[in-house]
């Protein structure tokens, strides 16, 4: 008669070690991805990069097409070094795109302090959400569908406001995006901790996009409320 086997400590330790390794590698690659982002932003500022400034709608659509193309390539090659290379190339492109709002911010007399404030606020949100996601025993996976719907609604609102040009709507969208992607940070990091995401390249891409969106829209809010002209 075979006795039912009880799960050994080893059975629990191995998945935990694997999840910790994915989380550690994600944070390391995330830190590395900030380097091409900063370089891209600096190059964009120096060159006064402006992506189809005369046609905001076409610029936004082309940006989404390029970004989704990169993301498709990264996911397709996430198990090889090419996936990492594409991720770093993508973050350089995102830095170029970011330079446009940074140029606007630097047009204010307190531009540098506003950028610093947005970076600090983004860092605070990241550490808070990462801490909750890591320590909490709650499974946040049920948030995924609601957050995805929120992103689609926000994208549609952004496209609409390209034509409407309503300042109040722009601020509402930015506030909503900050909240949505703060929640996405909690969701994405919790998935890694609980073993729902086992590839650190995919995990880094998700967390990077969360941080990028929080920073951009937090900076937009800060400029609206604290921007000072000379």
């Amino acid at each position: 008669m075979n006795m039912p086997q009880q799960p050994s400590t080893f059975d629990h330790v191995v998945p935990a070690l694997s999840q910790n390794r994915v989380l550690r590698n994600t944070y390391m690659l995330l830190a590395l991805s900030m380097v091409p982002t900063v370089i891209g932003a600096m190059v964009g500022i120096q060159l006064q990069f402006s992506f189809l400034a005369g046609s905001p709608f076409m610029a936004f659509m082309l940006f989404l097409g390029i970004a989704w193309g990169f993301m498709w390539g990264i996911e397709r090659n996430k198990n090889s070094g090419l996936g990492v290379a594409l991720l770093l190339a993508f973050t350089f492109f995102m830095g170029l795109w970011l330079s446009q709002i940074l140029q606007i911010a630097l047009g204010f007399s307190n531009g540098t302090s506003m950028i610093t404030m947005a970076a600090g606020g983004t860092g605070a949100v990241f550490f808070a959400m990462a801490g909750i996601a890591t320590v909490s025993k709650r499974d946040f996976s049920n948030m995924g569908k609601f957050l995805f719907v929120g992103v689609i609604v926000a994208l549609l609102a952004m496209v609409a406001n390209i034509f409407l040009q309503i300042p109040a709507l722009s601020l509402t969208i930015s506030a909503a995006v900050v909240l949505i992607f703060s929640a996405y940070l909690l969701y994405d990091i919790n998935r890694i901790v609980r073993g729902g995401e086992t590839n650190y390249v995919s995990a880094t891409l998700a967390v990077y996009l969360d941080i990028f969106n929080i920073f951009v829209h937090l900076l937009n809010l800060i400029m609206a409320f604290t921007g000072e002209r000379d």
Side-chain angles (χ1 to χ4, degrees):
M1 178 176 171
N2 293 326
M3 297 295 291
Q5 292 185 347
Q6 296 295 322
S8 68
T9 303
F10 182 76
D11 293 331
H12 297 287
V13 170
V14 172
L17 289 175
S18 177
Q19 291 155 22
N20 288 337
R21 183 171 63 252
V22 173
L23 188 62
R24 182 179 66 251
N25 290 342
T26 297
Y27 286 155
M28 289 174 63
L29 185 55
L30 181 65
L32 179 62
S33 71
M34 294 302 164
V35 176
T37 302
V38 171
I39 294 173
M42 292 175 64
V43 169
I45 291 171
Q46 289 296 319
L47 298 178
Q48 295 186 332
F49 176 78
S50 183
F51 199 60
L52 293 177
S55 179
F57 175 74
M58 288 302 299
F60 187 64
M61 291 297 104
L62 190 55
F63 163 74
L64 287 180
I66 294 172
W68 283 337
F70 264 117
M71 288 186 276
W72 178 85
I74 292 165
E75 284 298 317
R76 183 86 178 225
N77 298 279
K78 63 184 179 181
N79 294 313
S80 68
L82 180 58
V84 175
L86 286 172
L87 176 65
L88 296 178
F90 173 61
T91 60
F92 176 81
F93 168 72
M94 295 298 279
L96 277 177
W97 183 264
L98 179 65
S99 70
Q100 296 175 112
I101 191 172
L102 295 180
Q103 290 175 66
I104 296 171
L106 292 171
F108 291 91
S109 58
N110 62 334
T112 302
S113 64
M114 289 193 297
I115 293 170
T116 303
M117 190 184 304
T122 303
V125 171
F126 170 75
F127 285 114
M129 294 298 104
I132 295 171
T134 304
V135 173
S136 177
K137 295 182 179 180
R138 181 181 171 186
D139 183 0
F140 296 99
S141 60
N142 60 341
M143 296 169 56
K145 292 181 180 178
F146 297 102
L147 293 175
F148 180 74
V149 171
V151 170
I152 297 301
V153 172
L155 277 174
L156 292 175
M158 287 179 199
V159 172
N161 206 40
I162 290 174
F163 301 100
L164 299 174
Q165 292 293 308
I166 302 174
L169 179 57
S170 176
L171 295 179
T172 302
I173 292 169
S174 286
V177 169
V178 169
L179 291 174
I180 289 168
F181 281 96
S182 295
Y184 248 125
L185 262 178
L186 180 63
Y187 169 80
D188 288 328
I189 296 175
N190 186 249
R191 283 189 71 230
I192 302 169
V193 172
R194 300 184 69 86
E197 178 57 78
T198 58
N199 184 281
Y200 71 93
V201 175
S202 293
T204 302
L205 176 61
V207 176
Y208 175 86
L209 289 172
D210 297 339
I211 292 172
F212 185 91
N213 280 286
I214 292 169
F215 174 78
V216 168
H217 290 277
L218 189 57
L219 179 57
N220 190 44
L221 291 170
I222 291 171
M223 285 194 299
F225 292 109
T226 68
E228 299 173 359
R229 295 291 185 182
D230 290 326

